[in-house]
Amino acid sequence: MKFTAQQIQSNWEEFKNNITTYISPERASKLLDFYEKFEERIMLMPAAHKKEYHSAFPGGYVDHVNRVVKGALALSDVWEAFGADMSTFTKEELVFSAINHDLGKMGDEENESYVPQTDAWRRDKLGEDYTFNTKLPFASVPDRSLFLLQSNGIQYSFNEMVAIQTHDGLYDEANKKYLMGFMVEQKPRTSLPFILHQADLMAARIEFEIEWLPKFKLDKKVEVKASSKFTAKTPQLSNPNAPFANLLNNI
């Protein structure tokens, strides 16, 4: 996928609107302060480093988060229609968890997580438009998400902590302790983690169907190879020395 500058800006406004619409005023204010501090970075960052993974393009992170929010709200209605106990979590907890589930992908306050790939072979042969920033100390995405929230004075509930921690479901073996309890008292006391995981999975899967399935239907060879230039122009960045500025201002 490729976004225009207008699409990137529109997605960012939708992202902020979700905060002001669904999050209580005190937390919304702190979240907006945090996100606007890193506005340029977050608006333009991808959600992954490789083309086969979801949303690995400029503006992909915010687009993915917005679709997870929409999916979580819709799936919440489905769970309720099938008899789930909706009193075990709030709509604010649902949307807060969706907004911040992948926050750790931004890196830390000094270092971006994904930087433009400089190895031409890896770009052309492996579809890696980005690479991991080796200046950034390792942490899992959920762990870094929670650390960024607490280090910026943004409180979260126990439900939100578990939902963010386990949003990858059983794709992450670390989540077995939460999601595979065989004793009744060990099972999650709310369906929130399952709804968030399903929304995340759905958003990534539907992007795959939009981006890749048409190529299979046309019986074409599916190319992972990255193009040398993005076709969509994105906004000029204010800091010409930033890694993304070097990538985007020259396209």
Side-chain angles (χ1 to χ4, degrees), residues 24 40 42 66 70 72 78 83 96 99 105 124 126 135 137 148 154 161 191 199-200 204 216 229 231 235 242 248 250:
S24 57
E40 189 173 276
I42 294 173
N66 288 346
K70 290 178 184 176
V78 173
F96 181 94
I99 289 171
K105 290 183 176 181
D124 294 341
L126 301 180
K135 294 180 180 179
L148 285 167
I154 302 168
M161 178 194 73
S191 55
D200 188 31
F216 287 109
K229 289 183 179 291
T231 58
L248 296 169
N250 293 313

Side-chain angles (χ1 to χ4, degrees), residues 12 15 19 64 194 222 236 249:
W12 181 243
F15 179 87
I19 294 175
H64 172 71
F194 304 103
V222 177
Q236 293 289 303
N249 289 342

